[in-house]
Amino acid sequence: MSEALSHTLDHHLDTLTPQLTAWRRDFHQYAESGWVEFRTASIVAEELDRLGYAVTLGRDVVDETSRMGVPDADTLAREEARAKAQGAIERWLPQLSGGFTGVIGVLDTGRPGPTIGYRIDLDALDLEESREETHRPAQQGFGSKNAGMMHACGHDGHTTIGLGLARLFKTLESELSGRIKLIFQPAEEGVRGARSMVEAGTLDDVDIFIATHIGTGVPRGEVVCGQDGYLATTKLDVAYTGVPAHAGGKPEEGRNALLAAAQAAVGLHAIPRHSAGVSRINVGVLNAGSGRNVVPASATMKIETRGENTAINEEMRRRAIDVIEGAARMHGVSVEYHLAGEADTCTSSPELVDYIHGRLQGLPGIEVITPSINEPSGSEDATCMMKRVQDRGGLATYMVFGTELAAGHHHQCFDFDEDVLPLAVRSLAHLAFNIDLPGARHDR
Ligand SMILES: O=C(O)C[C@H](NC(=O)Cc1c[nH]c2ccccc12)C(=O)O
């Protein structure tokens, strides 16, 4: 990149930085869980449209039947009304309605060049945010206004980075070639959303794909060009149905769904670890029963299995289902379960990792540039997007921008150092100018 362009980028970033903080705090305050990101998605669509991007959203970018773990219709309607009351941009709501909360903005320079796609996730977690004074969002008045929903994984930062990129690319459009595709994805938590965007064909024209996360244990000032080792995972919703009865008078006539679920929860965590690699199990939610003196006739659980590779996760899933069904038989209740999310592992494209590693050298604010790491920890459904791009001959990677965290991901006191926002925008934008990556562009 020429020195003049570099200066121009820095200059625009300086003016943009207060807006980045404002966006982040606004999204943080109005945290929205997977498939109900109505307000967030509408603001994204409005900004992209205002800037002159070609905007597609809703059913055009989210395949209905490939969505996983979608809330019920009542919840969707209630959350849409909530979003409207909280300032969602109403003209986009008809398309987003019903949980079709994906948005894509395309900037076509009209000059030949690759299509570079950035994955930005929009959703918050199902978690109640801390109201303690020591928690900065609470102290500074931008804690979540939405009960049981909290940006405790940094996606408020991701959405902000996406909008920051949109502004920078538009301002410097004359210096770009090819196409920029900003892909705002719903429901990353629970790995429920990416596949629906892949199945809608939105990745099929992407030559270079970059998914991004902030934090994840990477220190401030460090950038990882290719984070690998995401765990294959299966999410299951489980429902036990028994028979209610008088707990004092006729307990033997009841069939206890609470006990089946409790038995299953303990049994699931007792599945042995796998010698061939990392494995995980978690029962994240268990709700059961209706009243103190009634034999509990219903119980629901949300569980997940994970494995370092597909085979290990498959083994965990199979054994989990044995435990779930076994517990039902033990207590004479019926059980139903269904898939609520699914993602696989993926490996970043070495050529792209090398290219990014080279291009980030000397950028302000970056102290350590790590080419690639493979450390099994969490899961990611961006892997599904990466795989689609790679299968079609494109290059894909998963980048991490380190930042200082107040508490770990998925903790009620999670918060990050907002300095990472301009740094990530600067770095991700930089990669799109003067792309010189042979083999990245395929003829179409
Ligand atoms: O499986 C999911 O629901 C996706 C979710 N994804 C993330 O949290 C992103 C993530 C992946 N790896 C790490 C490591 C640390 C923090 C966050 C992550 C997870 O693993 O629980």
Coordinates of all heavy atoms in Angstrom, one line a residue, residues 373-407:
I373 N -2.5 -20.7 14.7 CA -2.5 -21.6 15.9 C -3.6 -22.6 15.8 O -4.7 -22.3 15.2 CB -2.6 -20.8 17.2 CG1 -3.5 -19.6 17.2 CG2 -1.2 -20.4 17.7 CD1 -3.6 -18.9 18.6
N374 N -3.4 -23.7 16.4 CA -4.4 -24.8 16.4 C -4.5 -25.2 17.9 O -3.8 -26.0 18.4 CB -3.9 -25.9 15.6 CG -5.0 -27.0 15.4 OD1 -5.9 -27.1 16.2 ND2 -4.8 -27.8 14.4
E375 N -5.5 -24.5 18.6 CA -5.7 -24.8 20.0 C -7.2 -25.1 20.2 O -8.0 -24.2 20.1 CB -5.3 -23.6 20.8 CG -3.9 -23.6 21.2 CD -3.5 -22.3 21.8 OE1 -4.4 -21.5 22.2 OE2 -2.3 -22.0 21.9
P376 N -7.6 -26.4 20.4 CA -9.0 -26.7 20.6 C -9.6 -25.9 21.8 O -9.0 -26.0 22.8 CB -9.0 -28.2 20.8 CG -7.6 -28.7 20.5 CD -6.7 -27.5 20.6
S377 N -10.6 -25.2 21.5 CA -11.3 -24.5 22.7 C -12.8 -24.5 22.4 O -13.5 -25.3 22.8 CB -10.7 -23.1 22.9 OG -10.8 -22.3 21.8
G378 N -13.2 -23.5 21.7 CA -14.6 -23.3 21.4 C -15.0 -23.9 20.0 O -14.2 -24.6 19.4
S379 N -16.2 -23.6 19.6 CA -16.7 -24.0 18.3 C -17.1 -22.7 17.5 O -17.1 -21.6 18.1 CB -17.9 -24.9 18.4 OG -17.6 -26.0 19.2
E380 N -17.3 -22.9 16.2 CA -17.6 -21.7 15.4 C -18.4 -22.2 14.2 O -17.9 -23.2 13.5 CB -16.3 -21.1 14.9 CG -16.1 -19.7 15.4 CD -17.1 -18.7 15.0 OE1 -18.0 -19.0 14.1 OE2 -17.0 -17.5 15.5
D381 N -19.5 -21.6 13.8 CA -20.1 -22.0 12.6 C -19.6 -21.3 11.4 O -20.0 -21.6 10.2 CB -21.7 -22.0 12.7 CG -22.3 -20.6 13.0 OD1 -21.5 -19.7 13.2 OD2 -23.5 -20.6 13.0
A382 N -18.7 -20.3 11.6 CA -18.1 -19.7 10.4 C -17.3 -20.8 9.7 O -17.0 -20.6 8.5 CB -17.1 -18.6 10.8
T383 N -17.0 -21.9 10.3 CA -16.3 -23.0 9.7 C -17.0 -23.5 8.5 O -16.5 -24.0 7.5 CB -16.0 -24.1 10.7 OG1 -17.3 -24.5 11.3 CG2 -15.0 -23.7 11.8
C384 N -18.4 -23.4 8.6 CA -19.2 -23.9 7.5 C -19.1 -23.0 6.3 O -19.1 -23.4 5.1 CB -20.7 -23.9 8.1 SG -22.0 -24.3 6.9
M385 N -19.0 -21.7 6.6 CA -18.7 -20.7 5.5 C -17.4 -20.9 4.9 O -17.2 -20.9 3.6 CB -18.9 -19.3 6.0 CG -20.3 -19.0 6.5 SD -20.4 -17.3 7.1 CE -22.2 -17.1 7.2
M386 N -16.4 -21.1 5.7 CA -15.0 -21.3 5.3 C -14.9 -22.5 4.3 O -14.3 -22.4 3.3 CB -14.0 -21.5 6.5 CG -13.8 -20.3 7.3 SD -13.0 -20.7 8.9 CE -11.4 -21.2 8.4
K387 N -15.6 -23.6 4.8 CA -15.5 -24.8 4.0 C -16.2 -24.6 2.6 O -15.6 -25.1 1.6 CB -16.2 -25.9 4.8 CG -16.1 -27.3 4.1 CD -16.3 -28.4 5.1 CE -16.1 -29.7 4.4 NZ -16.7 -29.9 3.1
R388 N -17.3 -23.9 2.6 CA -17.9 -23.7 1.3 C -17.0 -22.9 0.3 O -16.9 -23.2 -0.9 CB -19.3 -22.9 1.5 CG -20.0 -22.5 0.2 CD -20.4 -23.7 -0.7 NE -21.4 -24.6 -0.2 CZ -22.7 -24.5 -0.5 NH1 -23.1 -23.7 -1.4 NH2 -23.5 -25.4 0.1
V389 N -16.4 -21.9 0.9 CA -15.5 -21.1 0.0 C -14.3 -21.9 -0.5 O -14.0 -21.9 -1.7 CB -15.0 -19.8 0.8 CG1 -13.9 -19.1 0.0 CG2 -16.1 -18.9 1.1
Q390 N -13.7 -22.7 0.4 CA -12.6 -23.6 0.1 C -13.0 -24.6 -0.9 O -12.3 -24.9 -1.9 CB -12.0 -24.2 1.3 CG -11.3 -23.2 2.2 CD -10.8 -23.8 3.5 OE1 -11.4 -24.8 4.0 NE2 -9.9 -23.2 4.2
D391 N -14.2 -25.2 -0.7 CA -14.7 -26.3 -1.7 C -14.8 -25.7 -3.1 O -14.8 -26.5 -4.0 CB -16.0 -26.8 -1.2 CG -15.8 -27.8 0.0 OD1 -14.7 -28.1 0.3 OD2 -16.8 -28.2 0.6
R392 N -15.1 -24.4 -3.2 CA -15.3 -23.8 -4.5 C -14.0 -23.2 -5.0 O -14.1 -22.4 -6.0 CB -16.4 -22.8 -4.5 CG -17.8 -23.5 -4.2 CD -18.9 -22.4 -4.1 NE -19.0 -21.6 -5.3 CZ -19.7 -22.0 -6.4 NH1 -20.4 -23.1 -6.4 NH2 -19.8 -21.2 -7.4
G393 N -12.9 -23.5 -4.4 CA -11.6 -23.0 -4.9 C -11.1 -21.7 -4.4 O -10.1 -21.2 -4.8
G394 N -11.9 -21.2 -3.4 CA -11.5 -19.9 -2.8 C -10.6 -20.2 -1.6 O -10.3 -21.3 -1.2
L395 N -10.2 -19.1 -0.9 CA -9.3 -19.2 0.3 C -10.1 -18.6 1.4 O -10.8 -17.6 1.3 CB -8.0 -18.4 0.0 CG -7.2 -18.8 -1.2 CD1 -6.0 -17.8 -1.3 CD2 -6.7 -20.2 -1.0
A396 N -9.9 -19.2 2.6 CA -10.6 -18.8 3.8 C -9.7 -18.8 5.0 O -8.9 -19.7 5.1 CB -11.9 -19.7 4.0
T397 N -10.0 -17.9 5.9 CA -9.3 -18.0 7.2 C -10.1 -17.4 8.3 O -11.1 -16.8 8.1 CB -7.9 -17.2 7.1 OG1 -7.1 -17.6 8.2 CG2 -8.1 -15.7 7.1
Y398 N -9.6 -17.6 9.5 CA -10.3 -17.1 10.7 C -9.3 -16.3 11.5 O -8.3 -16.9 12.0 CB -10.8 -18.3 11.6 CG -11.8 -18.0 12.6 CD1 -13.1 -18.2 12.5 CD2 -11.4 -17.3 13.8 CE1 -14.1 -17.9 13.4 CE2 -12.3 -16.9 14.8 CZ -13.7 -17.2 14.6 OH -14.6 -16.9 15.5
M399 N -9.5 -15.0 11.6 CA -8.5 -14.2 12.3 C -9.0 -13.8 13.7 O -10.2 -13.7 14.0 CB -8.3 -12.9 11.5 CG -7.7 -13.1 10.2 SD -7.4 -11.5 9.4 CE -6.2 -10.7 10.4
V400 N -8.1 -13.6 14.6 CA -8.4 -13.2 16.0 C -7.6 -12.0 16.3 O -6.4 -11.9 16.1 CB -8.1 -14.3 17.0 CG1 -8.5 -13.8 18.5 CG2 -8.9 -15.6 16.7
F401 N -8.3 -11.0 16.8 CA -7.7 -9.7 17.3 C -7.7 -9.7 18.8 O -8.7 -9.7 19.5 CB -8.4 -8.5 16.8 CG -8.2 -8.3 15.3 CD1 -9.1 -9.0 14.4 CD2 -7.1 -7.6 14.8 CE1 -8.9 -8.9 13.0 CE2 -6.9 -7.5 13.4 CZ -7.8 -8.1 12.5
G402 N -6.5 -9.8 19.4 CA -6.4 -9.9 20.9 C -6.8 -8.6 21.6 O -6.8 -7.5 21.0
T403 N -7.4 -8.8 22.8 CA -7.8 -7.6 23.6 C -7.8 -8.0 25.0 O -7.9 -9.2 25.4 CB -9.2 -7.1 23.1 OG1 -9.5 -6.0 24.0 CG2 -10.3 -8.2 23.2
E404 N -7.7 -7.0 25.9 CA -7.8 -7.3 27.3 C -9.2 -7.5 27.7 O -10.1 -6.7 27.3 CB -7.3 -6.0 28.0 CG -7.0 -6.1 29.5 CD -5.5 -6.5 29.7 OE1 -4.6 -6.1 28.9 OE2 -5.3 -7.3 30.7
L405 N -9.5 -8.6 28.5 CA -10.8 -8.9 28.9 C -11.0 -8.6 30.4 O -10.1 -8.9 31.2 CB -11.2 -10.3 28.6 CG -11.1 -10.8 27.1 CD1 -11.4 -12.3 27.0 CD2 -12.0 -10.0 26.2
A406 N -12.2 -8.1 30.8 CA -12.5 -7.9 32.2 C -12.8 -9.2 32.9 O -12.6 -9.4 34.1 CB -13.6 -6.9 32.4
A407 N -13.4 -10.1 32.1 CA -13.7 -11.4 32.6 C -13.9 -12.3 31.3 O -14.0 -11.8 30.2 CB -15.0 -11.5 33.3

